[in-house]
Amino acid sequence: MRTVRFRDETGIARTGELADETIKSGTKTYDFKAIDILPPCEPTKVICQAGGYMDHREESGFEDLPERPELFLKGPNSVSGHGDAIELPPGKDLVEFEAEFGIIIGRQCREVAADEAMDYVDGFTCVNDISNRDDQELERNWVRGKAFDGSLPMGPVIATPDEVPSDATLTLRHNGEVKQETSREMMIFSVAELVSDVSRLITLEPGDIIASGTPYGPDALAAGDVVEVEFEGVGTLRNHVIER
């Protein structure tokens, strides 16, 4: 099943099931392309993995595999949705895209074992971790570099785990050109391992997101660009880029 949050013609936020470009919510149906799509959930926090794929670690200059996932945080202010504009922070020379998929938590969990972790996963969505490299290079905690307003487009839907193959392909297109592509199989840590590791010290609430990390190929964004993140089984997150 794929669920989507949207705003109907009266301005009310609703949730429905998406099938063949049609959303069914209660007794009504809506055209997916004709309504305002909202971010698929409202997280209290976003936990992001740095260097989740070996090829990206190598291009970043790291040769060894990490012993545990390397994590950083984004706040709810960073969340934006399918179709929203990515606003480039002013005065920054290098702002890049990073294709990822998001793991959506379905119920509160803490200190969860890896073999039980999927019981707490509601599903998956597409994520674009927009990164301001100017400040990221100057900080240890990456707040300015990673957690600025609107820096986490996500969506358009939440797909339940059974909809997403274990070898699902993750692809990013920048102005129609494929710039990033990998498989879920290429992750250093599995989804279950990520959820388990994060839950050891951080209580995860329903709607919270763990962003899985990006493969090789992050590149610069400019005003006027269109960037699409596609995750097999989920769909395509599409955003355009503007100056702020």
Side-chain angles (χ1 to χ4, degrees):
M1 183 174 66
R2 296 190 298 164
T3 58
V4 58
R5 291 179 65 243
F6 64 98
R7 202 174 300 282
D8 70 11
E9 66 277 5
T10 68
I12 296 175
R14 299 188 183 277
T15 300
E17 182 177 347
L18 177 65
D20 299 325
E21 302 299 319
T22 298
I23 300 170
K24 184 174 182 180
S25 180
T27 59
K28 297 190 67 174
T29 59
Y30 302 84
D31 181 352
F32 176 78
K33 295 181 178 179
I35 58 173
D36 183 18
I37 304 299
L38 300 173
C41 60
E42 297 178 284
T44 67
K45 53 191 168 295
V46 181
I47 299 93
C48 302
Q49 179 181 204
Y53 295 80
M54 192 59 204
D55 53 11
H56 182 47
R57 292 185 65 83
E58 290 173 349
E59 73 172 348
S60 301
F62 301 102
E63 296 181 357
D64 298 330
L65 291 175
E67 294 183 0
R68 63 182 185 179
E70 298 173 354
L71 307 174
F72 62 94
L73 286 170
K74 288 195 177 205
N77 67 295
S78 66
V79 172
S80 63
H82 173 75
D84 290 344
I86 296 169
E87 296 185 351
L88 298 175
K92 305 304 175 185
D93 292 327
L94 184 59
V95 179
E96 295 188 329
F97 56 73
E98 290 191 7
E100 307 190 12
F101 71 88
I103 304 158
I104 312 298
I105 299 301
R107 57 192 179 101
Q108 187 185 81
C109 65
R110 185 180 183 210
E111 298 181 353
V112 175
D115 60 0
E116 299 176 348
M118 292 305 296
D119 294 339
Y120 296 83
V121 173
D122 196 25
F124 302 106
T125 195
C126 301
V127 165
N128 195 345
D129 176 19
I130 306 300
S131 301
N132 155 25
R133 305 300 189 197
D134 291 21
D135 286 316
Q136 186 180 356
E137 292 183 359
L138 298 176
E139 293 185 330
R140 295 181 63 187
N141 56 24
W142 294 359
V143 171
R144 294 179 182 85
K146 291 282 193 175
F148 54 94
D149 289 351
S151 63
L152 194 79
M154 54 180 287
V157 306
I158 298 175
T160 50
D162 60 291
E163 296 277 356
V164 180
S166 59
D167 61 349
T169 299
L170 176 69
T171 304
L172 183 139
R173 291 182 294 274
H174 182 208
N175 298 326
E177 180 183 354
V178 174
K179 292 290 188 72
Q180 293 184 280
E181 191 165 65
T182 191
S183 164
R184 179 176 163 187
E185 290 182 311
M186 302 306 293
M187 295 171 62
I188 297 171
F189 299 100
S190 70
V191 169
E193 288 170 333
L194 276 174
V195 173
S196 176
D197 183 87
V198 171
S199 75
R200 291 174 186 170
L201 292 175
I202 300 172
T203 299
L204 295 167
E205 302 292 347
D208 283 352
I209 308 163
I210 301 174
S212 61
T214 197
Y216 75 96
D219 205 350
L221 291 168
D225 287 351
V226 174
V227 61
E228 298 170 299
V229 178
E230 182 176 355
F231 190 44
E232 185 179 355
V234 174
T236 302
L237 168 68
R238 187 178 190 271
N239 301 91
H240 60 286
V241 183
I242 62 173
E243 298 280 1
R244 191 170 77 190

